[in-house]
Amino acid sequence: MRQKKAKNRVGLTAFYTASVWSSLKVSGAGRFVTWRGRLLHAVVSLGGAAVGLYGRYSVTSLYLAGRHRGLDCLLETLNPVQVVELAAGLSSRGWEMTRHKSVHYIELDQLQVLSFKHHVTAADPQPLAPSAEYQTLTFDLSQPERLPTELQAYLQPDKPTLIISEGLTGYLPEAALTRLMLALRDLAECQPNTTILLDFALKLNRADHKRAYFGMLPGQLVWQLVGAPPRLFLRDKAHLESWLAGLGFEVKRLYSSQELARLAGLTPPAVVVYYLAELQVRSPGVL
């Protein structure tokens, strides 16, 4: 009975995104689809359509499809040899990548999420590609200061490292997100040749986001009810760049939500609601 309760503590948003990824034909995503995910996916789709969020304004188009598919395209281009995915949730990316590429892939998430994934995949033995390695690390990102020390025990210091995450930063208030970014900066400073790919959702406003601004108001109430309210404070691209620079990061490239969708060969969303930032730690002495 205790094991069942632990599984039920997996956030509903994780089940929801797994269902969305499966609907997008993402490889391996179907194994993590549950009735909870299907139900929430249907509720969000129908509820969103009722308030004008459909087509290029749908939640999937605005946030999920381009972000997931676009990040996959960037990974194909960068061809990393060592990847750390923060708050991996029920993504099948690491599981699938290590089947086909000689990559060292580390997933971080809470115990209940990783336990659920291990339970689902236990009956599906994973044939790894030559020299590939797939590892999971239980970690609570509410204590990010521990991240550099605990993660370094898993990392191979002679390999370039790519740190990725999607959909994480929008759930963190500014103070918590700042702590996480400072921990990532510390990690990158002691792990040579580290690149970070994170998406940052924007605070919606009527002038720039039009229908999405009004349509997402009921959605924010739903996320509040399921215990995952968005904490958005970044106003625009300039604010994001300034905020990241103030934390000691060099912004190599910013991809808008529309650019990521085009990169993945998808119809772009109607408005820009987030940016995916390619970051490195700024060299000492660089202003």
Side-chain angles (χ1 to χ4, degrees):
M1 180 63 69
R2 289 183 180 178
Q3 184 179 8
K4 184 176 181 180
K5 287 183 178 180
K7 290 179 190 177
N8 288 341
R9 289 200 299 269
V10 177
L12 287 176
T13 53
F15 291 125
Y16 165 69
T17 51
S19 181
V20 173
W21 292 328
S22 179
S23 73
L24 295 171
K25 310 300 183 185
V26 172
S27 179
R31 63 166 62 91
F32 299 121
V33 174
T34 65
W35 68 265
R36 295 179 183 85
R38 291 192 185 95
L39 177 61
L40 190 54
H41 187 190
V43 169
V44 171
S45 297
L46 293 173
V51 293
L53 297 181
Y54 54 85
R56 295 175 64 217
Y57 275 99
S58 71
V59 175
T60 296
S61 178
L62 288 173
Y63 290 99
L64 300 174
R67 188 177 68 195
H68 196 82
R69 288 294 199 186
L71 184 53
D72 282 347
C73 289
L74 290 177
L75 289 177
E76 284 292 327
T77 300
L78 294 171
N79 196 26
V81 294
Q82 184 163 245
V83 179
V84 177
E85 184 166 9
L86 307 176
L90 300 183
S91 169
S92 59
R93 180 181 288 121
W95 185 260
E96 292 297 317
M97 182 175 282
T98 48
R99 288 177 182 262
H100 307 293
K101 293 182 178 291
S102 297
V103 60
H104 180 206
Y105 205 103
I106 306 169
E107 288 188 352
L108 272 68
D109 215 313
Q110 296 180 347
L111 175 61
Q112 57 267 31
V113 176
L114 297 180
S115 296
F116 179 84
K117 292 184 82 169
H118 292 163
H119 173 76
V120 170
T121 57
D124 181 18
Q126 183 185 27
L128 294 176
S131 303
E133 189 173 4
Y134 175 74
Q135 294 178 293
T136 57
L137 172 61
T138 300
F139 192 87
D140 185 353
L141 286 172
S142 67
Q143 298 178 306
E145 294 81 5
R146 296 171 34 237
L147 186 61
T149 300
E150 295 203 17
L151 191 53
Q152 276 200 299
Y154 284 70
L155 292 172
Q156 300 176 24
D158 59 325
K159 289 185 175 181
T161 303
L162 181 62
I163 300 174
I164 67 172
S165 188
E166 57 175 312
L168 166 65
T169 63
Y171 294 112
L172 301 177
E174 183 174 2
L177 182 54
T178 297
R179 289 170 57 209
L180 173 61
M181 296 305 297
L182 292 176
L184 292 177
R185 186 192 68 188
D186 292 344
L187 175 63
E189 286 177 342
C190 56
Q191 179 71 21
N193 199 3
T194 293
T195 300
I196 300 169
L197 286 175
L198 293 178
D199 63 283
F200 296 90
L202 301 178
K203 186 174 183 178
L204 303 184
N205 63 77
R206 287 187 296 178
D208 295 329
H209 301 110
K210 305 177 180 68
R211 191 197 305 177
Y213 171 80
F214 295 101
M216 287 301 294
L217 293 178
Q220 292 180 26
L221 176 61
V222 173
W223 300 138
Q224 188 80 38
L225 292 174
V226 300
R231 310 292 184 89
L232 308 178
F233 65 93
L234 294 164
R235 298 185 300 274
D236 50 32
K237 181 179 180 181
H239 185 199
L240 173 59
E241 290 176 319
S242 173
W243 182 75
L244 289 169
L247 296 176
F249 289 97
E250 177 185 358
V251 181
K252 304 291 289 185
R253 175 77 186 269
L254 285 180
Y255 299 87
S256 72
S257 51
Q258 293 178 329
E259 289 175 308
L260 273 184
R262 292 190 186 98
L263 186 65
L266 302 172
T267 301
V271 290
V272 175
V273 293
Y274 67 84
Y275 286 91
L276 186 140
E278 181 179 347
L279 307 171
Q280 291 183 329
V281 173
R282 196 167 54 214
S283 302
V286 176
L287 299 178

